[in-house]
Amino acid sequence: MPDHRNVLDPSWQRAWARFAHVTTPLRERGLVCDVQYGMDDWLVYAWPPGHDSVVLIGAQGGWLATHEAPAEDRTSMTVLYDSTDSVGPHDVGPLLSAIDALLARLPRIPSTPVAARVHAAGVHAPPPATRGTRSR
């Protein structure tokens, strides 16, 4: 579950449950997910670790998945998958395949154990020993 104040809101909890068929497989792929209301519908957000966002818009008429890159510059958006004009049931299989294709193209971010990061950031190395010269 995401870590924010909306997780206790019953409407957010209903939306989270409504999109579990999408968020669960995305979370299994290592993406951090959330749902928010916007643009007259609930949006499912998914972020690959160490990368920019993937925005999945769950619309009544289908799915629209976009990739925004870089996060600081919202001018670059690529459509990954669009089933908003299709007729019939909107299976998430092709949507997940499009996300998988994106994840395959993204560079892998090396994982660093948490203990190593804390140690490196929290412990300062002693200053180098200096040799003094004595005058006689």
Side-chain angles (χ1 to χ4, degrees):
M1 293 272 279
D3 184 20
H4 54 69
R5 63 188 171 112
N6 291 338
V7 297
L8 302 177
D9 181 345
S11 64
W12 183 91
Q13 292 174 350
R14 283 190 299 275
W16 181 258
R18 174 181 163 201
F19 291 110
H21 67 290
V22 176
T23 58
T24 299
L26 292 174
R27 291 171 60 219
E28 288 170 350
R29 288 162 169 78
L31 283 80
V32 176
C33 297
D34 197 5
V35 294
Q36 293 181 9
Y37 192 81
M39 297 173 38
D40 297 327
D41 206 349
W42 283 92
L43 307 176
V44 176
Y45 289 89
W47 296 270
H51 292 285
D52 300 318
S53 67
V54 174
V55 179
L56 308 174
I57 300 174
Q60 302 233 340
W63 291 100
L64 174 66
T66 63
H67 178 242
E68 297 179 25
E72 298 82 25
D73 178 16
R74 297 287 186 209
T75 62
S76 176
M77 183 183 296
T78 305
V79 174
L80 302 174
Y81 179 77
D82 186 356
S83 68
T84 56
D85 290 335
S86 64
V87 179
H90 297 286
D91 182 20
V92 297
L95 169 68
L96 295 173
S97 294
I99 300 297
D100 287 341
L102 169 70
L103 294 174
R105 291 191 308 267
L106 292 175
R108 298 260 183 227
I109 304 298
S111 61
T112 304
V114 174
R117 285 192 303 239
V118 171
H119 176 72
V123 177
H124 299 286
T130 57
R131 283 194 181 169
T133 56
R134 287 190 195 191
S135 58
R136 293 186 187 213

